[in-house]
Amino acid sequence: MKIALRLTVLTALLLLPLQSTFAASFNCAKAKTWAEKTICNTKQLSNLDELLDASYKKALASTSAKSALKAAQTDWLVMERDTCEDVDCLKSVYTSRIAVLNEMIADAADSTTSSSTQTAAGWYKATATPNLVVRSKPDVTGTKLGNVPTGGKLKVLATTKQTDFIGGRNGTWVKVEWQGKEAYAFDAFLEKLSAQQQSSNNTQPPASSTGKTLEGVITSYECGDNCYLTITDKQGDAHSGLCTAPLCDSWNEIAEMPANYQNKKVKVGISIGKQYDAAGNVMGEMDAFETITLLK
């Protein structure tokens, strides 16, 4: 009788459906929630859980905001994963979370690469269009000291620790020599010159003032390799010159003068400035309007 009973129990046990437990990032023996139990019993979910755990550990190692990431991960477990009621939901939230963590890892790697790459001292040419702005400090809030035209040459003295994201590019602010003084430029728009190109380097020296002035109205503004302003005097004669006054800086950056300056009455101070071609070579000299005063 006992033997028959044992055989019956054994047969019943053998007929029960087998339930496999797969590896996961947590101890399946201690699984409590429906989500945890389902992950342990579903191979694909178990694999996703291990992938997520690996990405989470890498993201945690790559960030200085570890407490914030830990809190965000806990929120994700409670507010997203554990609220799922079917396998498809779990697959979706796991896939999305892994993508977020991997993006954090990639961003951290890009930041490290950018900050570890230094611009060596030497001569460079500007690649910004139409001009590369030179500033008084390594930040976009620094005072504009001038513009280097596309292809213009600039001497880099040292790299700063100030990184930035400008014009869709990551880069570092570098200390440069500008008109005999120290200034700063953004290296994402600088290209190293070859030894041959460096032998013919040209910086933009300060314009030589003539002491002359001119009164008239602004009748045109245009930019090519250089930016020019045309002033028409009382006699109707047109006078063109390089637009080098501080007022021109913002215009030259975008190669456009605000429409409200057209036909404005002005007084300009005249100096002798140099014209540069696209490669930064001096083409010649001509009048430059170094100051512009608006008149009533």
Side-chain angles (χ1 to χ4, degrees):
M1 183 68 179
K2 289 183 179 180
I3 294 175
L5 181 59
R6 288 174 182 171
L7 288 173
T8 301
V9 172
L10 179 60
T11 301
L13 289 173
L14 290 172
L15 291 174
L16 287 173
L18 295 177
Q19 189 174 46
S20 301
T21 299
F22 299 100
S25 66
F26 54 89
N27 188 347
C28 284
K30 297 181 179 180
K32 295 180 179 180
T33 66
W34 175 86
E36 289 176 340
K37 293 176 181 178
T38 303
I39 290 165
C40 289
N41 295 322
T42 309
K43 184 174 179 58
Q44 187 177 8
L45 290 176
S46 181
N47 290 339
L48 284 173
D49 185 74
E50 290 186 329
L51 287 173
L52 181 139
D53 185 59
S55 293
Y56 171 66
K57 288 176 179 176
K58 288 181 181 178
L60 196 62
S62 68
T63 182
S64 58
K66 298 186 187 302
S67 296
L69 179 55
K70 288 178 181 179
Q73 188 69 4
T74 299
D75 287 343
W76 176 82
L77 289 170
V78 176
M79 304 300 294
E80 294 192 48
R81 189 198 70 173
D82 288 351
T83 59
C84 281
E85 296 181 349
D86 56 55
V87 171
D88 286 340
C89 175
L90 285 172
K91 289 179 182 178
S92 177
V93 295
Y94 263 87
T95 302
S96 297
R97 185 59 179 167
I98 290 170
V100 169
L101 292 170
N102 286 344
E103 186 174 351
M104 291 176 61
I105 296 167
D107 288 345
D110 288 344
S111 176
T112 301
T113 300
S114 175
S115 61
S116 63
T117 303
Q118 292 193 346
T119 301
W123 285 93
Y124 290 75
K125 69 176 181 180
T127 59
T129 304
N131 300 291
L132 174 67
V133 179
V134 179
R135 298 184 182 275
S136 61
K137 64 180 182 179
D139 191 272
V140 292
T141 61
T143 302
K144 295 178 184 177
L145 301 180
N147 296 300
V148 183
T150 303
K153 299 173 185 178
L154 198 63
K155 187 176 183 180
V156 172
L157 303 176
T159 301
T160 73
K161 295 182 179 180
Q162 184 67 36
T163 59
D164 218 328
F165 183 77
I166 301 173
R169 301 187 188 185
N170 287 304
T172 304
W173 287 89
V174 292
K175 183 185 292 186
V176 299
E177 183 180 303
W178 173 252
Q179 296 186 348
K181 299 179 181 179
E182 289 185 353
Y184 296 89
F186 190 56
D187 73 352
F189 297 99
L190 291 174
E191 182 180 314
K192 182 79 171 178
L193 292 177
S194 65
Q196 183 177 0
Q197 290 173 317
Q198 290 188 41
S199 65
S200 60
N201 57 66
N202 291 300
T203 56
Q204 291 190 14
S208 175
S209 178
T210 63
K212 296 180 181 179
T213 60
L214 171 70
E215 288 189 22
V217 295
I218 297 175
T219 49
S220 73
Y221 170 87
E222 58 183 15
C223 286
D225 291 336
N226 303 272
C227 292
Y228 305 91
L229 192 66
T230 299
I231 308 294
T232 300
D233 63 23
K234 293 179 180 179
Q235 287 72 41
D237 294 327
H239 305 265
S240 294
L242 294 166
C243 199
T244 59
L247 182 62
C248 298
D249 285 347
S250 59
W251 307 353
N252 296 347
E253 276 192 74
I254 59 174
E256 183 178 351
M257 179 184 72
N260 61 311
Y261 281 92
Q262 187 73 23
N263 296 319
K264 280 279 188 181
K265 188 176 181 181
V266 296
K267 179 179 180 180
V268 298
I270 303 174
S271 62
I272 301 299
K274 294 184 183 295
Q275 293 175 283
Y276 292 85
D277 63 18
N281 300 308
V282 177
M283 297 187 296
E285 296 182 342
M286 69 175 295
D287 286 347
F289 300 143
E290 62 178 355
T291 62
I292 299 176
T293 304
L294 299 177
L295 302 177
K296 294 182 179 180

